Amino acid sequence: MKKYVNRQHVSLALALFVLYLAIVFWPHFAKWCTTIFAAMTPLLIGAVIAYIVNLLLRKYEQLYRRLFKGPRAKKFQRLWGIFLSYLSIFLILAIVIRLVIPELISCVQLLINNHSKVITRFITAFEHNSNLQEVFKQFDVRHLSWSKAEKVLSYGFSGTVKALMSTASSVVSVATTSIVAFFFSIYLLIYKEMLARQCTRLIDAYLGKIKRPLMYVIRTFDNCYSNYIAGQCKDAAILGIACFIGMSILRMPYATMIGVVTAIGALIPIIGAILGASIGVVLIFAVSPLKAGIFLIFIIVLQQLDNRITYPLVVGKSIGLPSVWVFAAVIIGGSISGILGMMLTVPLFAALYQIIATDVGKRERPGQE
């Protein structure tokens, strides 16, 4: 009994000592964690890319096994799957850019032309305003201090150089991170079975007692996130294509670009539809206010059809999360990490909802019996 009490005292003392160290050295610990996270950012991005590409990879590998059978064909299964997966993504991006860029250039030119009219009106108003003319007439260059002017010019030059250096450094950093993340994602996809076996061995060695519940939690999160990503992409593609077809029938301007914007916005739950519609209304309003009103009615009807028919069939069943919790997940995720948080917290809440519902069901069964 005394040994047990002594062990309790020692454990409590160690816990208090660790808490004291955490409070005193928290700034250093937080700085160290920030440095480690910054160093791991390319690897984390690569892991996310690999997880998304793996959804396509599974489909291509299934198709490859159906078409090519035999031991020799299996050697090239993974390489062809990875190649076709990345090729599909790059082709989709290239097609989208090829379709959107011409309309984007046309839209920018239209906005510039409208902007030039505003500038012309301002100049005309200035010419007819005698008070502003008198103010500028009193402005004499001879009264300026050359030392002040030199300081302003030198500061402007140095500020421009610093801005250029900062921009160049940011571009190089983003490019380096993207390249490292891309190749790391390929590495993860090639050796994903080996990595899975290593993780399983670690769990068996150190967490063997809780292996079953831990693996259940991991599988639940994996299913929720993979189903959510696949379903959300399908729904976004359907909504974007439907928007393009409808706008083409109604002879709306910028049908391709607004269809793409609508599809991208559909990836964001709840708020994405509002963002896509707002951008479309603003762009079309620059051409014709009447067409902007027609587009607003069209996009509202399209969103209602998607929310009531397409989304429940494509995404709703795979997530299994009530709408009230979807709204809560979007609000919390947006407050924590903006748009990215909105997209990630919905499957997170879905996984937690499924785990808690299953556990509650198990606990209620003995009482009901």
Side-chain angles (χ1 to χ4, degrees):
M1 185 69 182
K2 289 182 178 180
K3 290 183 178 180
Y4 178 73
V5 173
N6 290 333
R7 287 180 181 177
Q8 273 192 331
H9 291 164
V10 171
S11 301
L12 180 61
L14 286 174
L16 292 174
F17 181 68
V18 170
L19 180 63
Y20 169 77
L21 292 178
I23 294 173
V24 172
F25 296 100
W26 175 253
H28 302 283
F29 179 73
K31 185 178 180 181
W32 180 77
C33 290
T34 304
T35 304
I36 295 297
F37 181 78
M40 292 180 61
T41 298
L43 304 182
L44 295 175
I45 295 174
V48 173
I49 294 172
Y51 186 83
I52 296 172
V53 175
N54 188 50
L55 301 177
L56 275 176
L57 178 61
R58 293 174 185 173
K59 302 296 182 182
Y60 279 123
E61 286 185 342
Q62 290 176 2
L63 180 62
Y64 186 90
R65 285 194 295 267
R66 292 176 185 174
L67 297 176
F68 304 99
K69 298 180 180 180
R72 292 184 179 179
K74 290 183 179 180
K75 295 180 180 179
F76 303 99
Q77 173 182 315
R78 180 56 49 81
L79 294 178
W80 274 108
I82 293 173
F83 173 75
L84 292 175
S85 299
Y86 280 102
L87 181 63
S88 301
I89 294 173
F90 289 143
L91 283 177
I92 292 171
L93 292 176
I95 293 170
V96 169
I97 292 172
R98 177 66 181 84
L99 294 174
V100 169
I101 290 298
E103 291 192 357
L104 181 62
I105 293 173
S106 175
C107 179
V108 171
Q109 288 176 347
L110 179 64
L111 293 175
I112 290 173
N113 292 333
N114 291 338
H115 206 60
S116 63
K117 294 178 181 178
V118 175
I119 295 172
T120 304
R121 291 177 184 175
F122 175 78
I123 294 173
T124 305
F126 171 74
E127 290 176 349
H128 292 86
N129 194 325
S130 58
N131 294 327
L132 287 174
Q133 291 179 5
E134 290 296 327
V135 170
F136 277 89
K137 285 179 180 178
Q138 294 176 3
F139 181 75
D140 192 356
V141 181
R142 291 175 294 179
H143 296 291
L144 288 175
S145 173
W146 286 108
S147 59
K148 293 182 179 180
E150 185 180 357
K151 288 181 180 179
V152 171
L153 290 174
S154 63
Y155 177 77
F157 178 75
S158 62
T160 304
V161 172
K162 289 181 180 179
L164 290 174
M165 293 294 291
S166 176
T167 303
S169 176
S170 300
V171 170
V172 172
S173 176
V174 170
T176 304
T177 301
S178 302
I179 293 171
V180 173
F182 173 72
F183 284 104
F184 185 68
S185 66
I186 295 176
Y187 176 86
L188 290 177
L189 292 173
I190 292 174
Y191 297 103
K192 63 177 184 176
E193 285 85 4
M194 183 192 73
L195 294 172
R197 288 194 299 269
Q198 291 177 348
C199 291
T200 304
R201 290 180 62 188
L202 288 174
I203 292 173
D204 288 335
Y206 298 103
L207 302 171
K209 295 181 180 179
I210 59 170
K211 179 182 177 180
R212 290 186 63 185
L214 180 61
M215 294 303 296
Y216 167 72
V217 170
I218 293 174
R219 282 194 295 268
T220 303
F221 272 86
D222 178 48
N223 290 332
C224 287
Y225 271 93
S226 59
N227 292 335
Y228 173 77
I229 293 171
Q232 203 74 15
C233 290
K234 291 177 184 176
D235 179 69
I238 293 170
L239 187 62
I241 293 171
C243 181
F244 168 75
I245 294 173
M247 291 183 67
S248 300
I249 294 173
L250 296 172
R251 296 183 179 180
M252 293 283 178
Y254 313 126
T256 304
M257 184 171 63
I258 294 175
V260 173
V261 171
T262 304
I264 294 173
L267 296 174
I268 307 169
I270 300 176
I271 299 177
I274 301 173
L275 293 176
S278 303
I279 295 172
V281 169
V282 171
L283 293 177
I284 298 175
F285 188 84
V287 178
S288 171
L290 178 62
K291 289 185 177 181
I294 297 173
F295 170 76
L296 183 60
I297 297 172
F298 163 73
I299 201 68
I300 290 173
V301 173
L302 184 63
Q303 289 290 343
Q304 290 299 316
L305 292 174
D306 177 70
N307 292 334
R308 297 178 182 276
I309 300 174
T310 309
Y311 194 87
L313 292 174
V314 177
V315 185
K317 292 182 180 179
S318 62
I319 293 180
L321 187 66
S323 57
V324 62
W325 292 113
V326 173
F327 183 77
V330 169
I331 297 300
I332 294 173
S335 302
I336 295 173
S337 186
I339 293 176
L340 183 62
M342 295 177 189
M343 299 172 67
L344 294 179
T345 49
V346 172
L348 174 64
F349 272 52
L352 294 175
Y353 182 85
Q354 184 176 342
I355 292 170
I356 294 172
T358 303
D359 186 65
V360 170
K362 289 180 179 179
R363 292 174 183 269
E364 288 178 347
R365 285 169 192 165
Q368 292 177 356
E369 294 175 356

